[in-house]
């Protein structure tokens, strides 16, 4: 193990200071050739070392390892007919083969109506995650925030926002109206089936490391929320070949802009 001390120090630093997962540490080190292959251990071995207390990281400090469980899919009937059912989504949306399809949710802090909320969105292919603070959860407030996103991308909005999948909460009751002002398709998940927006739900869980349940959202400044957003999008992702979601998202935008320029 002594010859791998530099790698273990790297893992400990990334884990403690940048809150990377152990797998992200291993994958990123391999992808960037920062260490010789023989000086790196695979993720499973690294977890074994942690469980044995050999590298200065305790198993109890691995939140995802302790809480992760497989979501059970259910076939509940979508009783609220707010718009298109998730069952109508195309294969390109479901298999993440096409850029521009999003999942959407609200993160609530204190369960009082006078607290702020955070509108969260994640693009399914790149896993680019956005956190947008809102003063309340009224449908018109949520809708106006999304209209601003469309305006921010102006001529490219129909390519960046091809579809949005959200839940049946009353705060999203006006979302189907997006189809009247843009080409964005809106799909509603089945009630009580958070696994149908699994990427968004997982990232909402990540930000609970910084904003625990029950804490008021309006106690956090826009700068603090922005810093959490930056952290989420700077994590190397195994599913992205240990690239960051920021890099993949920007590469997809470049493709759109290049097509328009040509």
């Amino acid at each position: 193990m002594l010859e791998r001390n530099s790698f273990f120090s790297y893992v400990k630093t990334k884990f403690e200071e940048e809150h990377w997962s152990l797998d992200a540490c291993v994958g990123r080190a391999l992808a960037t050739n920062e260490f010789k292959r023989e000086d790196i251990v695979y993720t499973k071995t690294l977890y074994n070392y942690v469980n044995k207390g050999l590298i200065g990281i305790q198993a109890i400090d691995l939140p995802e390892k302790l809480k992760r469980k497989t979501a059970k899919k259910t076939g509940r009937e979508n009783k609220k007919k707010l718009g298109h059912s998730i069952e109508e989504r195309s294969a390109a949306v479901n298999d993440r083969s096409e850029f521009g399809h999003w999942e959407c949710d609200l993160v609530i802090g204190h369960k009082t109506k006078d607290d702020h909320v955070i509108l969260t969105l994640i693009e399914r292919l790149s896993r680019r995650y956005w956190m947008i603070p809102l003063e309340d959860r009224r449908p018109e407030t949520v809708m106006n925030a999304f209209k601003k996103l469309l305006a921010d991308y102006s001529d490219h909005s129909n390519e960046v926002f091809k579809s949005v999948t959200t839940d049946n909460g009353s705060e999203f009751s006006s979302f189907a109206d997006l189809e009247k002002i843009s080409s964005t398709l809106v799909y509603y998940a089945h009630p009580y089936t958070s696994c149908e927006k699994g990427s968004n739900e997982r990232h909402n869980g990540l930000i609970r490391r910084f904003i625990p349940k029950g804490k008021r959202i309006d106690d956090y400044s826009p700068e603090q929320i922005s810093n959490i957003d930056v952290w989420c999008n700077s994590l190397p992702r195994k599913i992205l070949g240990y690239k960051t979601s920021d890099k993949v998202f920007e590469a997809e935008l470049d493709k759109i802009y290049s097509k328009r320029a040509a």
Side-chain angles (χ1 to χ4, degrees):
M1 278 183 58
L2 290 178
E3 65 274 13
R4 294 178 173 140
N5 279 346
S6 293
F7 172 66
F8 293 143
S9 295
Y10 165 87
V11 171
K12 195 168 186 295
T13 298
K14 293 296 186 183
F15 177 81
E16 293 179 348
E17 296 182 6
E18 300 188 39
H19 308 286
W20 288 12
S21 68
L22 298 187
D23 184 69
C25 295
V26 174
R28 188 67 168 183
L30 287 168
T32 58
N33 296 313
E34 292 183 57
F35 296 90
K36 293 180 181 178
R37 179 62 196 87
E38 59 268 23
D39 293 335
I40 298 174
V41 299
Y42 281 114
T43 302
K44 184 176 180 180
T45 303
L46 194 56
Y47 271 106
N48 288 337
Y49 285 166
V50 168
N51 290 332
K52 294 175 182 178
L54 298 178
I55 63 172
I57 298 174
Q58 302 300 313
I60 198 170
D61 295 327
L62 304 173
E64 291 300 305
K65 180 173 183 288
L66 293 177
K67 75 179 183 181
R68 184 171 295 169
K69 57 184 179 181
T70 303
K72 184 179 179 181
K73 292 189 176 182
T74 59
R76 296 175 183 262
E77 181 185 354
N78 193 343
K79 295 182 180 179
K80 288 186 180 180
K81 299 298 182 182
L82 297 178
H84 301 297
S85 167
I86 193 173
E87 296 171 10
E88 300 176 53
R89 290 196 319 192
S90 68
V93 184
N94 293 333
D95 64 17
R96 303 175 190 266
S97 62
E98 183 178 68
F99 177 74
H101 300 287
W102 299 77
E103 297 173 12
C104 180
D105 202 2
L106 279 189
V107 170
I108 297 170
H110 198 270
K111 291 185 177 180
T112 55
K113 292 185 178 180
D114 66 334
D115 190 19
H116 292 185
V117 295
I118 299 174
L119 174 64
T120 61
L121 298 103
I122 189 166
E123 199 281 316
R124 286 173 57 81
L125 186 150
S126 66
R127 273 68 171 186
R128 179 62 169 88
Y129 184 65
W130 285 345
M131 301 170 62
I132 304 171
L134 304 178
E135 291 187 356
D136 57 64
R137 65 186 81 172
R138 292 180 301 152
E140 54 266 37
T141 303
V142 177
M143 183 67 163
N144 286 337
F146 205 88
K147 285 181 179 178
K148 185 179 183 304
L149 289 177
L150 293 177
D152 287 344
Y153 284 89
S154 58
D155 294 341
H156 304 287
S157 62
N158 290 335
E159 296 160 284
V160 177
F161 299 100
K162 294 174 182 174
S163 79
V164 180
T165 300
T166 188
D167 59 40
N168 285 262
S170 60
E171 59 271 15
F172 297 113
S173 59
S174 298
F175 252 41
D177 291 340
L178 284 172
E179 297 182 5
K180 299 176 182 178
I181 62 173
S182 70
S183 65
T184 303
L185 296 174
V186 179
Y187 300 101
Y188 288 94
H190 295 100
Y192 314 109
T193 315
S194 59
C195 60
E196 292 182 338
K197 300 189 286 87
S199 294
N200 192 272
E201 292 291 334
R202 181 176 182 274
H203 282 73
N204 290 351
L206 287 178
I207 69 173
R208 289 302 187 186
R209 300 184 188 184
F210 307 94
I211 306 177
K213 288 184 177 181
K215 289 286 188 180
R216 292 185 65 89
I217 300 294
D218 57 15
D219 285 343
Y220 295 83
S221 68
E223 290 75 20
Q224 288 174 307
I225 293 174
S226 177
N227 287 338
I228 300 170
D229 185 302
V230 170
W231 172 79
C232 285
N233 292 300
S234 300
L235 290 173
R237 307 298 178 94
K238 180 178 182 179
I239 202 161
L240 301 176
Y242 296 100
K243 298 176 184 176
T244 66
S245 53
D246 253 344
K247 292 292 186 183
V248 176
F249 184 79
E250 291 299 325
E252 292 296 329
L253 287 183
D254 286 343
K255 292 178 186 177
I256 293 173
Y257 299 151
S258 296
K259 286 180 182 178
R260 285 294 183 93

